Structure formats: structure tokens, C-alpha cells
């Protein structure tokens, strides 16, 4: 893919950028603007109106604020991210950072319009930033080819508003947790200047949602976790001995046959490797034939193995547009922002539903209240672990539980490091009493769904 | 760099999972016309080029201004001074080399003057930011030519779409929450025989706990019917009793404790829906009673021929029911029992489809057309979707605008609700009126905002008077619409861009159901509404403001 064309293209883009910098340097912004450029935007910033936010004051300075000062972070440079970057750039925002850990795949090209076939394999953040900067003169998108977890507090603190176009609930929760951790309280009162508004968008096929989160003030991601029901996997006994659907046959090949037969040596199954998918496809067909099950196709195989979610340009366009409108409203106080959740579905006509999601009193992320864990002393640690993962409001992925016993920090169970997992595994079968835990004991739980540990308080029941 | 079949499969994979290869084919055979490459226009087109429509043609006589280049991703600074159609085509073309982009450097009015049939070649025409007179003229031409017309407008923070299509049929509507077609209330012979082949009482434990819930419900329903004079459970109390009856069927161990039989739990859980009587949806009945179904001619589109055939089936082989759909949901069962049960339904579906095919054949024969004109697979698809068929008919623009046929009741009743989006519909009409009178939109320049308020108010009043609409529009809205100064902010254009593109895809692919017929988006409150400004003597007796056609996700 990366052939002679690519370095040439890259060189031209860099030249373009430097040229523009030469024009801009020494000017605040005027160098790359032209007559009438911001006319569409100015009408909302320089004119009074009957529906504006109570804090709104028409002025020519709001536009300058957008162009020169307001810093926005876009999380994700995929289906939503590309749209968000375009929307923000054409609304006057110039200081934009974008974070994305992925590289470009051919299946992105039907909607991630900042990417071309030649870009396949390159980091999304880089290519997106290049494109926007070259198409929208003056816009300075800074790319970060990394995971959100690889950026620290000081990175996130610099932004006025953060807008997410993520494809993972875990990542959303992590981002949510990060912004909550930035909040500062004085005498129990939230300092408004520590709030960074989070606009979150999500899409799936023809459905989508956009929401505005003011961490510490309005419902956060975890407050409404029940809106995202946990993904259901097929039961093992169905897969192992009682397949009925083509999907069961595919899971059999993926989960049971692959580790057993190791068709490509020690390599783990890579959904992006066509050879791997082909192997799974053929094993699945064999299995299906055994049980007279029809319907195994290559496309279905890939869909099941990669847990593919269908996607089109239109839904991403709608949701990103709604999100960007909210960024604009909040940055300029032009209008009262969405309060606080909009749902969209265009399967049958077009449908939107707007409502105020409520904060959860004991939200594990934003309520600052230690979470209650009610168990009898005879309960095994395994039960606590299951509760943390299966409870609809917690939905932890791989919680690591630690506590303080006799003044010392003790790890009760941790899954992510093999040696520690082996060492602490016996604890799962021990009762809470056997582990030396007492009523009111505080347990600190770490998990990928949150950047900060969550505090739980053990409440012994009879 | 034209794509290979394999690279297209990769590129379009995520959308093929929504509308299939056959849906994609309709897109690739489509030629879309966009009138006016404003931000709204190019955003709509972008969302059609990316998924791979065959071709587009932009019709636009305007020259790119500084303002245009400021809010439009597909115009650059270098585009200023060039013809807008040409400049936009270059940048849009670049999005997808499979798509063929064309442009005409003339406005639609001029085009129509020179070639009245210019627009007949298109699969759909999308008109953006059109003044009322052009809109009505185009509307009339496209209506006569049966070319679907989608009118879009971004005006300040308001988005507007109007679909104008005489008759649009949908076989694959892909409903979100479809009820299963299980026929438990009227089991067909083969199903009955299959049920008979089970003897729950004498089964081994393993078989008992892996019997499909459909069989369990069928068996216990038989028992119930024999004990209740052939009457199925009807109210909550009876259904509870029925559930209890099933629960008692759960095997017990030596200590009398019920075993863990998940299939029985599934049966209990599904009692409510399982007992739904098999019924032809009223929407389908309405279609059976429509003129197009009653009068099949050589010109009848396939949809109506197939529908008529299904109607014949219903009155004959179907014994009052539609062809069996042939699918069952997954359920706890061992492979063999499930597959066998599934095959009972599949085979019946094939049988019913074959019977419908015979009716199709004789209908085609009766109008002098060959049987092959409607392929077998189309008939099968039609039968499978028989419960979900939809037909969308939108009234013409002429009717909407005519004093004689305007739907006053609809408008008036909507305006009774303070938050109704109907007010924006009226404001957009008033603004169009302003444009007709003053050859400009209100409040474009700062100095105009104040003085245009009274002028716009006069337009509002004359509009309301002309249509005898006894409604009140608050001054705030008039002020706001002057404030907008006909601005086309990018984010609102982008919202409409996504919305309109998907509606166009629905029209092209005949999959999923298009809106009917006016959509308003309010970016201030992030709300929207679908208004259906029906004929005065329309079928629905009451105001039809749909703000929630579906249940929330």
C-alpha cells in the first residue's frame, strides 16, 4: 500500500502546511481569512436574539475566542471523529487536538471521508489532521496517535471542551472517569472552573445518540450505564454441543477449535487477517454441515469474529453534527445547551427523542459516595468479583481488588498480571471472613473502565 | 483507480450489512441530481458519494463567494469566483473513485426553459435552498415525470426536508421490533404433525429439557383448549393460569424440587407474544383494498402484481392468513430438535411462496406478460416480508401550497401545542414570501435585522390570512428569523446532510421506510418532528403530527 505515491503526497501536504504557516506568522488570524469567510457563524455571535442563552452577549470577540483561544479535544478520528473535525473547523474552531490509536482500514472508507485508499495503514489521527489543516486554512489540528489512557491529567486539563466519537463503552467510561477526577471541590462545593464539558456521541447502524455531560453536575456516563446493556455472548454449552445457528458454529471454530488446532502456530486469531477468517469460515462450514445448519457465509464469519457493528456515513453525519452544535453553543453561550440526551433513529422515517438523563445518587463514578457492597461474611470473594462484573450499574471488566489489612496494602485478586493472578486465585474460594475482612472494610477496586480506583464499603449482612 | 469487486466488498462491508448486495446494486445504478452546491447540498451529496451511488450531477448557476467557501467543506479559497457546481464536483468526486461526477453550470429554471425533460433521467432530484417559485415549478415537472423530489433547506438553526413522491413501495422495511410468525393459534397441518411427534411425558430428561419452547407452548395450548371449550387464554388472569400450567410441567427430582429446565422458562416468558392471534396487519389490509391492487394491468409495477397474488393466496390456500414467514427465533433446544422445527416452518414458507408464485403467473398471463418478468427470488422475498410491506404516498407541492387544499386543521391543531415545530414550517413559508416580495431574505445585513422584522411580520400575516389560518405566531420567532439572516451554519447543514442522504438511499434502494412528508429539525432544542400535511379529505381523521413514530431505543 505504501508505495511511491505516498511520500510524494506527504511531502506536498507538509509543503502546504509550511506555506500557510509562513503566511500566518506575524498575523493573529487575518492572514488566511478572506472576505465573508465567517459570515454564517457571525450572525450567531454578533447579533442579539430572543432565544439566546441568558449569559450571551453579542460581540465580535466571540469569534476571536473561537479562532484564537478555545481549545477543543476530539476523541476518535473515525466515523464520528472525521465529521466532528470538519464540523468544528467550519464553525470557527482552530485549536483542535485529536486522539486516536488506530490505523486506517479499507472498511473505514465508506464513511471516514478524510481517508483515501492510499492512506490505508497510516494512523487515523495523523491523516485526519493533515486533511483538515490543508482543506481549512488556519485550522491547526494536532494529532495524537495513542490511546486515551496514554495521556495524563495535564494533557486533558488544557481543553475547554472535550467531544468523544468513540466506539467503545469502556473508553467512554474511562474518559468520563478522567474528567471527574479533574474536578476540584472546596469545602464540599464544586469549583465550576474545574469542569470540562464532555459531549459524547455514539452510533450503530441507523441509530445514534448525542449527549452533553457536565462532570459533577449532570448525569455522567456511569449514571446511565443501564442504557448500555452488556453484550450477550452465546452460552458455552450451546457452542460446544448444541449449535442451532450459523453464529454458534463460527464461535465454535473461534473459541474451541482455534486454540486447540493452532492453525498458524502460536499466533492468536486476528480478525483483520483474511487467512485467519478463511480458516474459521471453513471450520464453521464443516461444523454447520454436521448439524444441518445453513447460513454460514464469509461475511457472517467476519462479522461474528470481529463483533462488527454495521455503519453508514449518514448516521455519523447526523450525530456528529448534533455534537458539534453543542460544542459551539457551550463555547459561545449562543444558546442553552442540550439538556442533556438526544436519541436518533432513521430506520422508519426519522425519529429523535430528547430527554434529561438523571444523575444517579450513588453513581460509582461521579457521586463521590463509597459504593455499598452487601455480602454475608460467609460469601466467597468469587461472588464479590461476579457482582462487580455482572451488576448492570457497575459492569466492570476485570476488577482488581485491594484493601488495607493490618496497616498494609493487600491485593485480594488481580487478573491482569499472570503471576499475581496465580498467587491470588486461591483467594476467590475463600470467604470474606477467612480473608480477614471486617464489617465496614473499604475495598479499592481498579478496572479499565475507570482511571481512578473505585472505593467500596463492605456491609456485612446476616 | 477503479475498484475491484473485492476492494468494493471491503470498502462497503459495513453498509452491506445493512442493505445487502442487492441494495448496494440499486445505489450503484442510481444517478442523483443535486441542485445547488451549498453547504447543505454538498453535505447531502457527500453522504451519497461515500456509499457509492453510480453517478451524480450538480446543477448550480451560482458563482462561489467568500461566504460559500467559509461554510462548505467541498469548496476552498481557490474556488471563489468559479462556478459552484464545477468547484464542488471536483472535491466531491475525490471522495470515491467508483462514482461518476458531473455538473451543469446553470440554474434549474434556465435548464427547464431550455429542456423540459432534463430532469427525467435522474433516480432522485435533491433541491437545496430553492426559492418557492423554483421549487413549485420543479415539483410539478418531477411529479408528472414520477421522479422523486427531495426538498431541503437549512435556515439558521432550522433544518427542513420535504419528500415529494407519488407512490413509493417498500418490500424490505426492516422493522425494528417485528413480531414472530409462529402460527401457534392456527397450526398448519405439517406443524400439527410435528407437534404430535412429541410426547413430553414419556421423554427422557435430556430431551425434555431441550425441547423447543414453541413445542412446549403448543402442547400445553392443546391441553388448555381441550379444557376450555376450544377458547385460548384471553385475559391476564387466564394467561397467568396458562403460564402456571406450563410451570407445572417442569420435571421434578426425587425430592420434588423442580429441575432447572430453561426451555420451560423460555416458554413461560414467551406466552404473551406466543398467544398473539395470527392476523394480517391493517396496513397490509389497506394495501389489499387499494386501487392498484384491485386493477392489475400490464403497466402495474411488480409490487402490486405480487401483492395481488398474495391477496389471492390469502383468500385461497392461505385460509385468511398471509404466507408463512418461515423463520423462528433461536431458543434453547438441542440442534436436531431446533433444526427439525425450523425446517417445518421453512418448508411451509416455501410451499406458500410456490402457491403465491402460481397466482403471480396467472396474473401476469392475464395481462399478457411472461411469467419470467417477476423472478422466483423476488416472490420469495416478497412473501417473507408480507407483514411488513409499506407504501408511502406524499401529496404534491402544488396541493400543499394551494389555498383550496392546504391542510388547515393539521396546522391549527399543531399550533395549539407551545413546543410544536409547526411554527418553523410557517416561518419558512413566510420567509419564502418575503423573498418573493423583496428579492432577498430578511436580515442578511446587520442593519436590516431591525427594519425587516415588521416586513417579515407582514409576510407572516398575509400568509396566515391567505390560508385562513387562525393561529398566532409569537414575535420572538419573527425576530429570530430576521436574526438568522438566511445563514446556513455548517453543523445544521451537516445534520440535514445525513438525514436527507439516508432518505434518498431509502428511495433509491426501496429498503427501510422514508419519512412522510415534512421533517423539521430544531438545532436550538435538538428536537425534530415529522409533519404530515395531508389532503383535506385524507384517510386519517385527526391531526397527524408525528414526533415519535417509534418507541425510544
Amino acid at each position: 500500500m505504501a508505495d511511491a505515491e505516498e511520500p510524494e503526497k506527504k511531502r506536498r501536504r507538509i509543503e502546504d502546511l509550511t506555506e500557510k504557516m509562513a503566511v500566518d506568522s506575524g498575523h493573529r488570524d487575518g492572514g488566511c481569512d478572506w472576505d465573508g469567510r465567517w459570515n454564517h457563524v457571525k450572525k450567531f455571535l454578533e447579533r442579539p436574539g430572543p432565544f439566546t442563552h441568558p449569559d450571551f452577549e453579542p460581540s465580535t470577540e466571540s469569534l476571536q475566542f473561537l479562532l484564537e483561544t478555545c481549545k477543543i479535544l476530539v476523541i476518535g478520528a473515525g466515523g464520528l471523529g472525521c465529521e466532528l473535525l470538519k464540523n468544528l473547523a467550519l464553525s470557527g474552531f482552530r485549536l483542535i487536538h485529536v486522539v486516536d490509536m488506530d490505523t486506517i482500514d479499507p472498511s473505514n472508507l465508506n464513511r471516514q471521508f478524510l481517508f483515501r485508499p492510499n492512506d490505508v495503514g497510516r494512523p487515523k489521527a495523523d491523516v485526519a489532521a493533515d486533511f483538515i489543516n490543508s482543506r481549512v486554512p488556519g485550522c491547526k489540528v494536532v494529532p495524537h496517535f495513542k490511546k486515551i489512557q496514554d495521556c495524563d491529567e495535564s494533557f486533558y486539563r488544557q481543553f475547554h471542551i472535550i467531544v468523544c466519537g468513540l466506539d467503545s463503552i469502556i473508553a467512554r467510561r474511562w474518559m468520563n472517569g478522567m474528567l471527574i477526577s479533574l474536578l476540584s471541590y472546596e469545602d464540599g462545593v464544586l469549583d465550576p472552573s474545574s469542569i470540562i464539558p464532555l459531549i459524547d456521541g455514539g452510533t450503530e447502524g441507523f441509530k445514534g445518540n448525542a449527549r452533553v455531560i457536565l462532570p459533577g453536575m449532570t448525569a455522567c456516563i456511569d449514571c446511565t450505564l443501564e442504557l448500555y446493556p452488556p453484550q450477550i455472548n452465546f452460552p458455552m454449552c450451546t457452542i460446544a454441543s448444541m449449535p442451532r445457528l450459523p453464529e454458534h458454529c463460527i464461535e465454535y471454530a473461534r473459541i474451541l477449535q482455534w486454540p486447540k488446532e493452532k492453525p498458524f502456530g502460536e499466533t492468536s486469531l486476528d480478525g483483520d487477517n483474511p487467512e485467519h477468517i478463511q480458516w474459521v469460515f471453513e471450520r464453521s462450514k464443516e461444523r454447520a454441515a454436521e448439524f444441518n445448519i445453513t447460513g454460514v457465509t464469509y461475511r457472517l464469519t467476519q462479522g461474528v469474529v470481529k463483533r462488527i457493528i454495521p455503519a453508514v456515513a449518514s448516521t455519523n453525519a447526523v450525530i456528529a453534527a448534533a455534537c458539534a452544535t453543542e460544542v459551539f453553543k457551550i463555547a459561545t453561550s449562543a444558546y442553552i445547551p442540550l439538556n442533556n440526551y438526544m436519541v436518533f433513529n432513521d430506520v422508519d422515517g426519522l425519529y429523535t427523542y430528547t430527554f434529561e438523563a438523571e444523575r444517579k445518587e450513588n453513581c460509582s463514578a461521579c457521586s463521590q459516595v463509597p459504593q455499598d457492597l452487601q455480602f454475608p461474611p460467609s460469601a466467597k470473594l468469587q461472588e464479590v468479583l461476579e457482582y462487580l462484573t455482572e451488576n448492570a450499574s457497575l459492569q466492570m471488566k476485570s476488577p482488581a481488588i485491594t484493601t488495607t489489612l493490618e496497616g498494609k496494602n493487600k491485593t485480594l485478586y488481580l487478573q491482569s498480571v499472570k503471576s499475581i493472578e496465580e498467587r491470588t486465585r486461591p483467594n476467590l474460594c475463600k470467604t470474606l471472613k477467612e480473608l480477614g475482612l471486617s464489617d465496614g472494610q473499604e475495598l479499592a477496586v481498579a478496572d479499565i473502565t475507570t482511571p481512578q480506583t473505585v472505593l467500596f464499603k463492605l456491609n456485612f449482612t446476616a | 483507480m477503479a475498484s475491484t469487486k473485492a476492494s468494493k466488498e471491503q470498502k462497503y462491508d459495513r453498509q452491506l450489512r445493512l442493505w445487502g448486495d442487492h441494495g448496494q446494486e440499486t445505489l450503484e445504478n442510481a444517478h442523483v441530481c443535486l441542485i445547488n452546491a451549498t453547504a447543505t447540498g454538498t453535505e447531502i451529496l457527500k453522504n451519497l458519494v461515500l456509499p457509492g451511488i453510480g453517478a451524480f450531477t450538480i446543477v448550480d448557476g451560482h458563482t462561489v463567494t467568500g461566504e460559500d467557501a467559509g461554510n462548505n467543506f467541498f469548496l476552498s479559497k481557490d474556488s471563489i469566483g468559479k462556478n459552484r457546481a464545477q468547484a464542488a464536483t471536483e472535491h466531491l468526486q475525490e471522495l470515491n473513485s467508483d462514482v461518476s461526477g458531473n455538473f451543469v453550470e446553470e440554474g434549474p429554471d434556465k435548464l427547464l426553459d431550455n429542456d423540459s425533460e432534463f430532469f427525467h433521467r435522474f433516480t432522485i432530484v435533491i433541491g437545496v435552498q430553492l426559492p418557492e417559485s423554483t421549487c413549485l415549478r420543479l415539483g410539478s415537472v418531477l411529479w408528472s415525470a414520477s421522479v422523486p423530489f427531495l426538498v431541503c433547506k437549512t435556515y439558521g438553526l432550522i433544518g427542513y426536508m420535504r419528500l415529494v413522491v407519488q407512490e413509493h413501495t417498500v418490500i424490505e422495511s426492516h422493522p425494528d421490533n417485528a413480531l414472530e410468525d409462529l402460527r401457534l393459534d392456527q397450526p398448519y397441518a405439517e406443524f400439527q404433525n410435528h407437534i404430535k411427534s412429541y410426547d413430553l411425558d414419556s421423554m427422557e430428561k435430556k430431551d425434555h429439557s431441550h425441547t423447543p419452547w414453541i413445542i412446549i407452548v403448543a402442547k400445553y395450548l392443546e391441553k388448555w383448549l381441550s379444557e376450555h371449550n376450544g377458547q385460548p387464554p384471553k385475559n391476564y388472569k387466564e394467561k397467568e393460569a396458562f403460564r402456571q400450567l406450563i410451570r407445572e410441567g417442569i420435571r421434578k427430582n426425587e425430592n420434588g424440587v423442580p429441575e432447572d429446565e430453561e426451555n420451560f422458562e423460555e416458554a413461560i416468558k414467551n406466552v404473551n407474544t406466543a398467544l398473539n392471534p395470527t392476523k394480517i396487519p391493517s396496513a397490509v389490509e389497506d394495501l389489499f383494498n387499494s386501487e392498484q391492487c384491485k386493477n392489475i394491468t400490464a403497466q402495474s409495477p411488480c409490487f402490486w402484481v405480487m401483492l395481488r397474488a398474495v391477496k389471492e393466496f390469502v383468500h385461497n390456500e392461505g385460509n385468511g392468513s398471509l404466507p408463512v414467514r418461515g423463520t423462528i427465533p433461536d431458543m434453547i433446544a438441542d440442534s436436531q430438535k431446533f433444526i427439525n422445527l425450523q425446517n417445518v416452518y421453512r418448508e411451509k414458507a416455501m410451499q406458500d411462496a410456490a402457491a403465491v408464485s402460481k397466482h403471480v403467473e396467472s396474473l401476469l398471463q392475464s395481462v399478457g406478460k411472461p411469467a419470467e418478468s417477476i423472478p422466483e427470488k423476488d416472490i420469495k422475498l416478497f412473501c417473507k416480508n408480507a407483514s411488513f410491506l409499506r407504501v408511502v404516498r406524499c401529496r404534491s407541492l402544488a396541493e400543499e401550497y394551494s389555498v383550496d387544499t392546504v391542510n388547515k386543521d393539521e396546522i391549527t391543531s399543531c399550533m395549539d401545542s407551545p413546543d410544536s415545530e409547526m411554527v418553523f414550517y410557517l416561518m419558512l413559508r413566510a420567509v419564502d414570501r418575503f423573498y418573493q416580495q423583496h428579492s432577498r431574505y430578511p436580515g442578511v445585513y446587520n442593519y436590516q435585522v431591525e427594519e425587516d422584522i415588521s416586513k417579515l411580520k407582514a409576510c407572516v400575516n398575509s400568509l396566515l390570512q391567505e390560508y385562513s389560518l387562525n393561529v398566532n405566531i409569537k414575535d420572538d420567532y419573527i425576530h429570530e428569523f430576521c436574526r438568522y439572516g438566511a445563514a446556513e451554519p455548517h453543523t445544521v447543514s451537516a445534520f440535514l446532510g445525513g438525514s436527507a442522504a439516508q432518505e434518498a438511499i431509502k428511495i433509491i434502494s426501496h429498503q427501510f421506510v422514508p419519512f412522510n412528508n415534512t421533517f423539521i429539525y430544531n438545532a436550538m432544542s435538538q428536537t425534530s418532528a415529522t409533519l404530515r400535511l395531508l389532503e383535506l379529505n385524507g384517510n386519517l381523521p385527526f391531526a397527524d403530527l408525528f414526533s415519535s413514530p417509534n418507541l425510544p431505543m
Side-chain angles (χ1 to χ4, degrees), chain B residues 4-21:
Chain B
T4 59
K5 189 161 192 278
S7 70
K8 276 192 350 186
E9 277 241 17
Q10 269 189 322
K11 175 161 73 170
Y12 297 137
D13 178 84
R14 301 298 186 267
Q15 67 200 40
L16 293 173
R17 291 166 191 279
L18 290 167
W19 52 65
D21 297 309

Side-chain angles (χ1 to χ4, degrees), chain A residues 393-421:
Chain A
S393 316
L394 294 174
Q395 289 187 50
M396 293 192 161
K397 296 298 156 193
S398 169
I401 311 172
T402 59
T403 190
T404 310
L405 280 174
E406 290 156 13
K408 280 192 285 198
N409 201 1
K410 182 175 175 180
T411 304
L412 294 173
Y413 183 68
L414 189 148
Q415 213 172 330
S416 48
V417 178
K418 196 157 177 228
S419 56
I420 305 180
E421 199 279 327

Side-chain angles (χ1 to χ4, degrees), chain A residues 47 135 243-244 335 352 354, chain B residues 73 330 335 480 483 526 528:
Chain A
R47 299 173 171 194
R135 180 62 64 83
R244 297 175 296 266
Y335 288 87
T352 65
T354 309
Chain B
F73 194 73
D330 189 27
S335 310
E480 182 76 352
R483 178 187 188 237
Q526 299 286 16
S528 73

Side-chain angles (χ1 to χ4, degrees), chain A residues 245-255 280 284 296-297 300-302 304-305:
Chain A
L245 304 177
E247 288 85 342
H248 299 157
C249 303
I250 295 165
E251 289 288 73
Y252 180 80
R254 177 179 80 88
I255 298 173
V280 174
S284 309
V296 174
T297 61
L300 184 68
T301 305
Q302 212 182 25
V304 171
V305 170

